[in-house]
């Protein structure tokens, strides 16, 4: 990234949006100056500038919740930066996966924009569980047990799908297919493989 391309404001700052590179969830909004942007590029971990303390700060320096930078992008006006990261823990100081956990419109019914919206929601929830590891959550258990346990569950659910289909049991097939999709998405998160990458392969195959 050529820093001359970035337009800093009158205080020498540029807003930096931080997004989970896998789930695409927006994690936080912070600010960078030229020095913190350089450190972010050099270390491949997020560095910001604190407007209240008037100093640089390295995300995760004390908490351990660092953010490995996969890519740094800037917008069409060149006055905002997007950091795609792999978070090592919660982004929020309250311990939440994302700083954007509260809603001003949560009491209003939200229309379903896509029949596949649940996949986006599920991917975000799995990402949140992966970083926060809430006690008692099934996904916390799976991530804690590791890849072998997750693979075992994927295999078991795939077998259940086969049995349900063989028995011509549509209701059972529906339930087992949902279980398989869920555990597959947990595996994708564990392997740091975005669902978008899988969809791109399907699209490429369709168009070839």
């Amino acid at each position: 990234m050529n820093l001359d391309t970035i337009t800093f404001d009158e205080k020498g700052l540029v807003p930096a949006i931080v997004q989970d590179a896998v789930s695409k969830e927006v994690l936080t909004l912070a600010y960078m100056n030229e020095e913190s942007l350089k450190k972010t590029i050099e270390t491949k971990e997020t560095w910001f500038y604190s407007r209240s303390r008037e100093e640089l700060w390295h995300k995760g320096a004390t908490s351990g919740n660092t953010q490995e930078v996969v890519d740094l992008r800037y917008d069409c006006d060149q006055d905002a930066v997007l950091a795609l990261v792999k978070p090592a823990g919660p982004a929020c100081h309250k311990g939440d996966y994302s700083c954007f956990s509260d809603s001003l419109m949560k009491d209003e019914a939200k229309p379903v924009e896509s029949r596949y919206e649940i996949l986006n929601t599920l991917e975000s929830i799995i990402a949140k569980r992966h970083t926060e590891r809430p006690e008692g959550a099934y996904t916390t258990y799976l991530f804690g047990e590791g890849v072998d346990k997750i693979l075992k569950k994927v295999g078991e659910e795939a077998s259940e799908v086969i049995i349900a289909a063989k028995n011509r049991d549509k209701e059972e097939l529906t339930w087992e297919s949902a279980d398989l999709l869920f555990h597959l998405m947990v595996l994708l998160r564990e392997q740091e493989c975005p669902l978008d990458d899988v969809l791109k392969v399907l699209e490429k195959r369709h168009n070839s």
Side-chain angles (χ1 to χ4, degrees):
M1 177 185 291
N2 183 357
L3 296 189
D4 293 335
T5 304
I6 303 301
T7 302
F8 296 92
D9 65 16
E10 66 279 0
K11 295 181 180 179
L13 303 177
V14 63
I17 302 164
V18 182
Q19 183 181 41
D20 189 315
V22 177
S23 73
K24 309 306 179 186
E25 181 87 0
V26 175
L27 302 180
T28 192
L29 169 66
Y31 289 85
M32 293 181 177
N33 62 5
E34 185 172 346
E35 185 179 358
S36 64
L37 187 53
K38 284 181 179 178
K39 282 184 171 292
T40 298
I41 295 171
E42 291 170 0
T43 64
K44 292 184 172 56
E45 290 188 352
T46 51
W47 284 74
F48 305 108
Y49 182 82
S50 171
R51 295 175 296 171
S52 59
R53 300 192 305 271
E54 297 185 344
E55 64 181 13
L56 296 185
W57 62 284
H58 177 203
K59 172 61 180 171
T62 56
S63 66
N65 299 329
T66 54
Q67 297 170 339
E68 178 188 347
V69 178
V70 176
D71 194 12
L72 275 173
R73 302 175 184 176
Y74 53 88
D75 73 335
C76 54
D77 293 323
Q78 303 172 347
D79 58 2
V81 174
L82 174 66
L84 298 173
V85 305
K86 294 178 182 177
C92 183
H93 70 281
K94 297 189 300 181
D96 294 335
Y97 165 60
S98 169
C99 292
F100 298 97
S101 300
D102 298 316
S103 172
L104 293 171
M105 304 176 66
K106 58 186 176 184
D107 293 331
E108 297 185 17
K110 293 190 293 184
V112 177
E113 298 178 359
S114 167
R115 60 191 289 220
Y116 303 114
E117 183 180 357
I118 183 57
L119 294 180
N120 296 326
T121 301
L122 187 57
E123 188 174 31
S124 294
I125 291 174
I126 290 171
K128 184 175 182 179
R129 295 287 189 269
H130 184 248
T131 55
E132 294 181 0
R133 305 294 176 97
E135 186 176 352
Y138 178 58
T139 40
T140 298
Y141 163 73
L142 289 175
F143 287 128
E145 290 294 309
V147 67
D148 286 345
K149 180 63 177 181
I150 298 171
L151 290 173
K152 182 179 179 182
K153 291 301 298 182
V154 171
E156 289 175 356
E157 300 304 339
S159 297
E160 294 294 337
V161 167
I162 293 172
I163 293 171
K166 194 70 175 177
N167 291 338
R168 299 289 183 179
D169 189 331
K170 189 171 293 185
E171 181 178 359
E172 189 70 16
L173 177 61
T174 301
W175 279 91
E176 297 302 341
S177 295
D179 286 343
L180 177 58
L181 283 173
F182 168 77
H183 287 92
L184 178 58
M185 292 182 72
V186 171
L187 177 62
L188 291 176
R189 178 69 192 189
E190 196 278 337
Q191 295 284 303
E192 299 181 348
C193 178
L195 180 61
D196 284 353
D197 289 358
V198 178
L199 298 178
K200 286 176 183 176
V201 171
L202 289 174
E203 184 177 1
K204 183 178 179 180
R205 290 177 179 176
H206 173 71
N207 294 327
S208 63

